[in-house]
Amino acid sequence: MEYQELPYVLIDYIGGKHGVHEDHVEFLKKYFHLITLKEYIENKKFLSEKIRAIYMWYHKPVVNEELLQSLPNLKIVASSGVGIDHLDLKLLSGYGVKASNTPFIVSSDTADLAMALMLASSRRLVEGYQMAVSPDTEYFPADWLGDAVSGATLGIIGMGSIGYKVAERAKAFEMKILYHNRNRRNKEEESAVGAVYCEKIHHLLQQSDFVLLSVNLMPATHKLIGKRELELMKPTATLINVSRGLVVDQDALVEALQNKVIKAAALDVTYPEPLPRDHPLLKLKNVIITPHMGTATKKTRLLMMENMIKSIQAGLMGLPIPHEVLL
């Protein structure tokens, strides 16, 4: 049987803060000849024509025109996660390179985290933990209260896969669900979760006790929530963001939280990530911040890797690519 060389695939690096997970490497090596960016730079003359795909983990390696020019046989860039704001699709298309992501795989875990942020913020879990373990605590004050989630109104901005799964979970909490989306869901989908469509975003903001952001970052959603939008929200409302930090005008959010324009914020995403250690958001008691961990479960990360493998294989064989990202 004739030996077939494994396809050469470029990765950023292995391990560390943002490298390919070390426990994924052996599995990936069953399908690909992995080349780190450092190895590629050191042996560009030999490897430039060998590499046919890029395995992009945590948005790395950065794919710019310089890199594309140096990889004449590149066919596909497979990116982990759902966001595509780090991909220049027009540039990739100009070089005949296709792109894919892993959108539906991350939906359940991200929806779970959105609910966790809502519950943690409303019931003041972080403050409660600090009170419970503090060496200075002598008693628990009876008037230390949070807000009820059950029966409250949840406004979802971005009713894609993640937003819809949040709605499914919120239904179990008997929440009233409003949503705003570029495209309205069909009546059967709305009825299944009891969601009411708001054509205008300000109608949603004015009525919601919790506002969840689950949109893709693009020019139309850059700083979608700013000073005006925050002022439309209830002073008792909480903003929850599991999309991208740049969907919110962060300076306006700080001001709104400091001046009690809104009650609280629960953020899995910020800009930059992590925030500078002296950033005002880190000093506010009415803010919960998590380290962009919506997809951070072993199961989901494994499924993301497997999906990326399938996309690369399909792209190299000229077959339809699962979850191809189109212009």
Side-chain angles (χ1 to χ4, degrees), residues 3 124-125 127 151 158 171 198 208 227 297 299:
Y3 168 77
R124 302 171 68 182
L125 291 190
E127 292 174 80
K171 183 185 178 185
C198 294
S208 300
K227 186 176 187 294
T297 67
K299 179 182 177 181

Side-chain angles (χ1 to χ4, degrees), residues 39-194:
E39 290 171 331
Y40 172 65
I41 292 170
E42 291 174 349
N43 198 9
K44 190 178 292 187
K45 185 175 181 180
F46 171 74
L47 293 172
S48 62
E49 294 189 1
K50 287 274 191 179
I51 291 170
R52 301 179 63 206
I54 294 176
Y55 184 93
M56 183 181 281
W57 197 255
Y58 285 108
H59 302 179
K60 303 289 185 178
V62 174
V63 179
N64 52 28
E65 188 154 19
E66 181 183 358
L67 183 61
L68 290 171
Q69 287 176 343
S70 70
L71 300 174
N73 295 318
L74 184 67
K75 300 297 181 186
I76 180 170
V77 173
S79 179
S80 61
V82 62
I84 58 171
D85 49 285
H86 57 288
L87 296 174
D88 189 334
L89 298 179
K90 188 174 181 180
L91 179 64
L92 289 173
S93 178
Y95 281 87
V97 176
K98 296 187 176 182
S100 69
N101 62 350
T102 60
F104 302 110
I105 293 167
V106 308
S107 300
S108 292
D109 279 349
T110 307
D112 287 347
L113 183 70
M115 291 301 296
L117 287 171
M118 188 188 312
L119 290 163
S121 180
S122 63
R123 299 304 301 271
R124 302 171 68 182
L125 291 190
V126 174
E127 292 174 80
Y129 167 78
Q130 292 169 342
M131 181 192 300
V133 302
S134 171
D136 300 323
T137 297
E138 297 179 359
Y139 64 93
F140 297 153
D143 61 350
W144 190 85
L145 304 172
D147 295 315
V149 169
S150 296
T153 298
L154 170 63
I156 300 174
I157 300 176
M159 189 68 113
S161 178
I162 293 170
Y164 194 79
K165 284 186 177 293
V166 173
E168 290 176 328
R169 287 152 175 75
K171 183 185 178 185
F173 283 79
E174 300 175 342
M175 300 186 81
K176 179 181 178 181
I177 300 168
L178 309 176
Y179 79 99
H180 174 78
N181 203 43
R182 284 183 299 172
N183 301 307
R184 183 172 181 174
R185 289 271 185 169
N186 64 48
K187 290 184 178 180
E188 290 76 15
E189 291 170 327
E190 289 181 346
S191 178
V193 294

Side-chain angles (χ1 to χ4, degrees), residues 285-302:
K285 287 187 176 181
N286 54 346
V287 177
I288 291 177
I289 300 177
T290 50
H292 203 152
M293 55 189 284
T295 66
T297 67
K298 291 181 180 179
K299 179 182 177 181
T300 288
R301 293 290 168 84
L302 182 63

